[in-house]
């Protein structure tokens, strides 16, 4: 009897896999034989007004208020993503990160945002967008530079079209997204996700193993030619309290102090990287960039920074990293979206795990797998 039940379960799983690209109304997956092309359609709700905004201004230039384009304004967002344009439509994810007014004569928004999903097999997966958004154009095309989960090593583009906007700055924007990922390992990952959906109530985000060994195994199964793989293991030391801070606060919203998640806080950091967890261990580089608190509901950080290496054959080389992570996760996955010198045209995965933390210091153990030429 038990064997029959298992056969029925696995038959159901494989049926679900065969229909995976058609089972979600807002997302479709097409296997081209070499790659998987995923198309997503959803609505982005950016609310600046009222008592519960999802977008808050955290900084501006001295001349921002006199600028017709609000040049220099910087906002932190935690915007819901829904299937339809109505705010009450089904929630499928959230867009978290930063956008700022980067145009002096036109409304050009620089977007540094992670789009994370919470529905179906895409739960726990995200893509990263880093691009200019010419907001007054009827249709805007923006670049997708990486992702996590089902969208690891993603490349693609997003087309955005304003559905509605008001005088308060609130806007609803329709998105049509095309993402290309590697076919190999896709079916195994989808089967694993669907299996857990059937067999238990375990959150799908936990189904994608983000441990360094699992990521390395995933990378090894990708169809690369004429590329190299370089691995790093080191410790990241951030001091955010006391007199010798390496990550001072540079901006925040007027609601940040009252927010349990510090929503709107932005820090600039220059953190040492060492071989071991001891701060006096040999230094191999620096992590330099920004991170902010982009979530209204949970402790999370959005990162946009470089690992700058200062030792050995990698001296002077960098890798660029971007993404959003929840502090509750044991392993936090970020996308490697580029690099310089030895790591030109790089892509890959960075996983971080907290080694130690207190009210002034955090030490994070990082494992990087970098694919480059």
């Amino acid at each position: 009897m038990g064997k029959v039940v298992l056969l029925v379960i696995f038959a159901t799983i494989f049926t679900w896999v065969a229909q995976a690209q058609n089972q979600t109304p807002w997302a479709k997956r097409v296997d081209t034989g070499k790659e998987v092309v995923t198309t997503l359609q959803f609505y982005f709700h950016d609310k600046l007004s009222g008592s519960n905004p999802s977008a808050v201004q955290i900084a501006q230039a001295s001349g921002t208020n006199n600028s017709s384009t609000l040049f220099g304004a910087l906002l932190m967002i935690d915007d819901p993503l829904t299937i339809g344009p109505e705010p009450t439509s089904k929630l499928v994810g959230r867009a978290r990160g930063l956008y700022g007014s980067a145009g002096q004569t036109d409304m050009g928004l620089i977007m540094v945002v992670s789009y994370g999903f919470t529905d179906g097999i895409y739960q726990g997966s995200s893509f990263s967008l880093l691009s200019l958004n010419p907001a007054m154009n009827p249709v805007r095309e923006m670049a997708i530079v990486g992702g996590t989960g089902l969208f690891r090593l993603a490349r693609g583009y997003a087309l955005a079209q304003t559905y509605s906007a008001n005088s308060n700055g609130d806007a609803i924007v329709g998105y049509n997204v095309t993402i290309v990922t590697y076919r190999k390992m896709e079916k195994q990952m989808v089967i694993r996700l669907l299996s857990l959906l059937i067999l238990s109530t375990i959150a799908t985000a936990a189904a994608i193993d983000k441990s360094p060994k699992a990521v390395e195994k995933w990378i090894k199964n990708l169809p690369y030619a004429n590329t190299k793989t370089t691995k790093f293991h080191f410790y990241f030391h951030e001091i955010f309290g006391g007199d010798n801070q390496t990550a001072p606060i540079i901006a925040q919203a007027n609601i940040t102090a009252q927010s349990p998640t510090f929503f709107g806080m932005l820090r600039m950091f220059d953190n040492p990287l060492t071989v071991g967890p001891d701060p006096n261990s040999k230094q191999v580089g620096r992590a330099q960039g920004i991170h902010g608190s982009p979530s209204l509901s949970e402790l999370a950080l959005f990162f946009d920074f470089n690992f700058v290496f200062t030792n050995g054959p990698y001296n002077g080389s960098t890798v660029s990293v971007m993404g959003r992570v929840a502090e509750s996760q044991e392993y936090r996955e970020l996308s490697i979206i580029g690099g310089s010198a030895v790591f030109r045209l790089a892509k890959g995965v960075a996983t971080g795990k907290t080694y130690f933390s207190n009210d002034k210091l955090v030490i994070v153990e990082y494992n990087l797998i970098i694919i480059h030429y």
Side-chain angles (χ1 to χ4, degrees):
M1 183 66 181
K3 290 183 178 179
V4 173
V5 172
L6 283 174
L7 286 172
V8 171
I9 288 173
F10 283 109
T12 303
I13 290 170
F14 281 105
T15 300
W16 278 28
V17 171
Q19 298 174 345
Q21 68 268 33
N22 297 314
Q23 68 174 1
T24 307
W26 61 278
K28 306 293 182 186
R29 296 167 67 79
V30 177
D31 188 336
T32 67
K34 292 184 178 180
E35 299 171 316
V36 174
V37 179
T38 304
T39 54
L40 311 175
Q41 185 174 21
F42 54 80
Y43 289 83
F44 165 105
H45 299 257
D46 194 46
K47 185 181 178 185
L48 283 74
S49 66
S51 58
N52 295 299
S54 63
V56 293
Q57 185 169 322
I58 62 172
Q60 66 178 47
S62 58
T64 294
N65 291 336
N66 298 320
S67 167
S68 61
T69 62
L70 300 178
F71 179 60
L74 183 66
L75 289 87
M76 185 83 73
I77 66 169
D78 183 2
D79 287 343
L81 308 175
T82 63
I83 288 180
E86 302 82 10
T88 55
S89 181
K90 181 181 178 180
L91 184 73
V92 297
R94 302 194 76 88
R96 288 163 166 157
L98 299 165
Y99 69 75
S101 181
Q104 296 192 70
T105 58
D106 61 306
M107 188 60 73
L109 302 177
I110 186 69
M111 306 282 289
V112 189
V113 181
S114 175
Y115 295 73
F117 299 100
T118 57
D119 186 52
I121 64 170
Y122 303 97
Q123 184 176 348
S125 297
S126 69
F127 70 80
S128 297
L129 186 149
L130 175 60
S131 203
L132 186 70
N133 177 0
M136 301 308 292
N137 288 2
V139 180
R140 290 87 71 186
E141 182 173 335
M142 294 172 282
I144 292 169
V145 296
T148 66
L150 287 175
F151 301 133
R152 278 181 184 162
L153 309 186
R155 60 196 190 278
Y157 60 93
L159 298 176
Q161 186 170 10
T162 301
Y163 175 82
S164 67
N166 63 28
S167 59
N168 295 321
D170 303 338
I172 299 172
V173 181
Y175 271 76
N176 286 276
V177 177
T178 300
I179 301 174
V180 180
T181 49
Y182 290 95
R183 178 178 185 270
K184 201 161 186 177
M185 297 296 289
E186 284 283 333
K187 286 189 176 180
Q188 292 92 323
M189 190 176 284
V190 172
I191 289 171
R192 179 175 172 82
L193 295 173
L194 292 174
S195 298
L196 285 172
L197 284 172
I198 293 173
L199 297 173
S200 71
T201 57
I202 297 173
T204 307
I208 300 173
D209 193 343
K210 298 180 180 180
S211 66
K213 287 185 179 179
V215 172
E216 183 176 356
K217 181 179 179 182
W218 186 87
I219 292 284
K220 284 181 178 178
N221 282 282
L222 293 177
Y224 284 103
N226 302 319
T227 57
K228 302 173 184 177
T229 301
T230 299
K231 295 185 290 183
F232 284 98
H233 175 259
F234 50 75
Y235 292 82
F236 164 111
H237 301 257
E238 178 165 294
I239 302 171
F240 52 85
D243 297 329
N244 299 305
Q245 294 188 39
T246 61
I249 297 170
I250 60 169
Q252 60 183 17
N254 56 10
I255 65 170
T256 297
Q258 289 77 44
S259 169
T261 62
F262 306 105
F263 181 57
M265 181 181 291
L266 186 68
R267 293 179 183 268
M268 185 77 72
F269 62 88
D270 180 8
N271 295 331
L273 309 175
T274 62
V275 171
D278 189 321
N280 297 316
S281 178
K282 180 180 178 181
Q283 187 168 313
V284 295
R286 316 274 312 175
Q288 298 173 326
I290 57 173
H291 65 64
S293 301
S295 177
L296 287 161
S297 59
E298 64 177 333
L299 288 171
L301 291 174
F302 181 85
F303 285 92
D304 185 10
F305 70 102
N306 278 355
F307 286 119
V308 181
F309 300 107
T310 57
N311 187 263
Y314 305 107
N315 185 20
S317 297
T318 69
V319 291
S320 301
V321 181
M322 181 180 170
R324 179 253 181 203
V325 297
E327 293 190 19
S328 61
Q329 297 172 334
E330 179 183 11
Y331 290 104
R332 280 93 72 182
E333 182 177 321
L334 294 167
S335 300
I336 294 172
I337 61 172
S340 66
V342 172
F343 300 121
R344 284 177 182 163
L345 308 183
K347 50 191 168 184
V349 179
T351 55
K353 180 181 180 181
T354 300
Y355 177 83
F356 173 82
S357 67
N358 61 24
D359 60 351
K360 294 183 179 180
L361 168 71
V362 63
I363 301 172
V364 180
E365 181 181 10
Y366 268 97
N367 285 273
L368 275 59
I369 299 182
I370 307 169
I371 300 165
H372 56 105
Y373 292 92

